Amino acid sequence: MEKRESFGSGFGVLVAMAGSAVGLGNLWRFPYLVGTNGGAAFIIIYLAFVFLLALPIMYSEFIVGRRSQANVFGAYKVLAPKTGWCNVGLVYVMASLFIISFYCVVGGWTINYFWKSVTFRFTTADTAVLGDMFNNTVTSNSEPLIFMLIFLIATALIVMAGIKDGIERYTKVMMPILFVIVVVVAVRSVTLPGSAAGLEFLFKPDFSLVTGKTLLDALGQAFFSLSIGCGTIMTYGSYVSKKENIAGLSAQTAMTDTLFAIIAGLAIMPAVFAFGISPSEGPGLVFVTLPYIFAQLPFGAFLAILFFFMLFIAAITSSISQLEVIVSYLIEEFRMSRKLAITLSVSVITVFGVLCSLSQGTLADVKIFGYNFFDFFDTTSANILLPLGGFFAVIFVGWKMKRPDVVDEFTSGGMRKYSRFFLNFSYYSIKYLAPIVVAVVLISGLI
Ligand code: PHE
C-alpha cells in the first residue's frame, strides 16, 4: 500500500477545508435556492442550521478521521471493529459520488462561461439573450459534455498530484482573489437603481411561506455548502497532524463559508430585482445575472474573465475533496494504486455526469421518483444522504466513542487547553443538539 499523504502546514489544512467548503454551493446553489424558496426566511433558517450544526458535525468528522488516520470506511472499522459502523462509510462514498456527478456538470458550465468571457461573448445587456445563451449552453448534447470532461480531468489530475502539491498550493492564492471580485460585484449590485427590492427580498422574512420542504432545502444547503456529511472533513482530517487545532479550523471554515454565501447573495439578488429577472429562475440564475452585471461595470469584460476563472477554481477545490473521499476508500480498502482508483472512479462519475448533463435537454423527460437525473443526484445527496451522514458521525462520536477518547482527540492529546464550559458545550452539542436537530428536520421534511 502507498504511504499515507499528509498536509504540509496548518494553514494548508485550513485552505483545503475552506476550499472544499467554498464553491458552487455558495455562488451558484445558494442564490438560486434563496430565489426559489422565497428569500429572507430561507436565509435565516439556513443560518440557524449552520450555527447549530456546523461545528458539532465538523468536530465529529475531524475526530473520527484524525483518530483513525484512515479513509471513511476504514475509519469506522478502526474505531469500532467488528461492528456494522463501517457501512456508514459507504453512505459517505455514495454521497460523494452523487454530488460529484452533477457538480462536474456545473463545473463544466463554469469553464464554458470562462471561455465565453475570454472570447468576449457577454457584450449584450439583454437578459433574454443571456437567458437563451444559458439554455443553449446547458441543453446541447455535446458542448456541456466536453466541458464536463475537462473539469473532471482537471480534478483527477490534482487529486493524482496528491494533497500537498496539488490541493494546498493552488487554493492559497485563488480564494482571496475570488473573495475580492465577489465583493466588487456585490457593491455594484447593491448600488444599482432598483436594487432595493432585492435587499428586501434578502432581509425581510416572510415566514408564512415556510414549509417542510423549505426546512429540508435549508438543511441540505447547510450541509452541502459546508461540505459536511459526506466524509470530506473526515478524509482531510485523516491527513492532518495531531497538533492541529480542530476547534479553530472548524470555526474558521464555517465562518469563511458563510461569509461567502452572504456576499454571494448580496452580489446576485439586488441585481436580479434591478434587472427584472425572476428570482425563481432556478439553476441558471447566476449564469444569467452575472454576465448582465459585468456588462454594466467598468472593465466588466475583464472582471468577467477573472470571475469565471475563480469560480472554476472554487469549484475544483471542492470537487477534489469529493473525489478524494472515493479515491482514498478505494486505495485503502481495495489496495488499489492511486492511479487505478482515480481512473475507476472517474469512469463511473463520467457515466453519471453524462446522464446529469443530458437531463438538461435530451433526457429531460426521464424521471427517477419524479426528478430528472440532475435533480435526483442533487436532491438525494444534499437533502438526504448528507444529513444522514452527519447524523451518523455525531451519533458515533457522542454515543459510541468514549468521552475521554473524544476529549483527547479534540484537545490534541491535552495540548489545547479549553475551559470546562467550552468542552461540555461542544460535547453535548455533538451528543444531543446536532442529532436531534437533524433527525427532526429530516423526518418532518420527508413527511
Ligand atoms: N461545499 C461545496 C460547495 O459549496 C460542495 C461540496 C459538498 C464539497 C460536499 C464537498 C462535499 O460548493
Side-chain angles (χ1 to χ4, degrees), residues 64-291:
V64 173
R66 193 172 69 173
R67 195 150 191 91
S68 63
Q69 300 278 303
N71 70 90
V72 291
F73 186 86
Y76 285 103
K77 222 167 49 181
V78 170
L79 299 181
K82 301 203 186 68
T83 65
W85 273 101
C86 53
N87 295 310
V88 171
L90 297 180
V91 176
Y92 298 156
V93 174
M94 190 163 134
S96 304
L97 181 64
F98 277 24
I99 291 177
I100 195 170
S101 297
F102 73 90
Y103 208 87
C104 66
V105 174
V106 186
W109 299 349
T110 65
I111 304 182
N112 193 325
Y113 266 65
F114 169 65
W115 180 244
K116 285 187 166 58
S117 63
V118 172
T119 48
F120 297 110
R121 300 272 304 285
F122 302 131
T123 43
T124 170
D126 179 340
T127 43
V129 174
L130 290 168
D132 284 346
M133 188 190 270
F134 177 73
N135 274 335
N136 296 337
T137 300
V138 303
T139 54
S140 128
N141 279 337
S142 50
E143 198 183 306
L145 297 186
I146 296 169
F147 284 106
M148 175 197 93
L149 272 181
I150 298 176
F151 184 83
L152 257 183
I153 291 170
T155 305
L157 289 177
I158 299 182
V159 173
M160 193 66 225
I163 299 296
K164 192 159 73 192
D165 298 328
I167 298 177
E168 249 186 86
R169 250 227 317 265
Y170 298 103
T171 329
K172 274 201 272 222
V173 195
M174 304 293 182
M175 301 301 290
I177 306 181
L178 177 68
F179 186 77
V180 173
I181 303 178
V182 183
V183 170
V184 170
V185 175
V187 169
R188 174 72 267 214
S189 180
V190 171
T191 51
L192 283 167
S195 64
L199 290 173
E200 193 164 301
F201 186 76
L202 282 174
F203 296 114
K204 214 168 131 205
D206 177 358
F207 285 101
S208 66
L209 299 174
V210 173
T211 61
K213 169 85 171 39
T214 320
L215 289 180
L216 194 56
D217 274 350
L219 181 78
Q221 175 60 18
F223 274 85
F224 186 86
S225 190
L226 294 161
S227 304
I228 56 180
C230 63
T232 52
I233 296 182
M234 197 172 285
T235 305
Y236 279 3
S238 75
Y239 303 131
V240 165
S241 90
K242 289 286 178 195
K243 63 178 201 304
E244 296 309 340
N245 177 355
I246 292 184
L249 285 168
S250 305
Q252 283 164 310
T253 304
M255 261 157 28
T256 311
D257 188 66
T258 309
L259 194 64
F260 259 98
I262 297 299
I263 295 180
L266 279 174
I268 309 289
M269 275 313 157
V272 163
F273 280 82
F275 301 149
I277 301 171
S278 156
S280 52
E281 168 95 22
L285 191 65
V286 179
F287 290 97
V288 177
T289 314
L290 283 172

Side-chain angles (χ1 to χ4, degrees), residues 415-427:
M415 217 171 77
R416 309 258 161 206
K417 306 283 179 228
Y418 297 121
S419 69
R420 167 108 58 92
F421 172 78
F422 180 69
L423 280 181
N424 277 335
F425 180 78
S426 305
Y427 187 71

Side-chain angles (χ1 to χ4, degrees), residues 21 25-26 29-30 33 42-43 45-54 57-58 214-229 254 257-258 382-383 386-387:
N26 310 61
R29 204 172 185 275
F30 181 70
L33 279 181
F42 177 85
I43 299 184
I45 299 169
Y46 166 81
L47 290 177
F49 287 140
V50 169
F51 188 73
L52 293 171
L53 300 174
I57 297 180
M58 285 185 173
T214 320
L215 289 180
L216 194 56
D217 274 350
L219 181 78
Q221 175 60 18
F223 274 85
F224 186 86
S225 190
L226 294 161
S227 304
I228 56 180
D257 188 66
T258 309
N383 290 9
L386 297 185

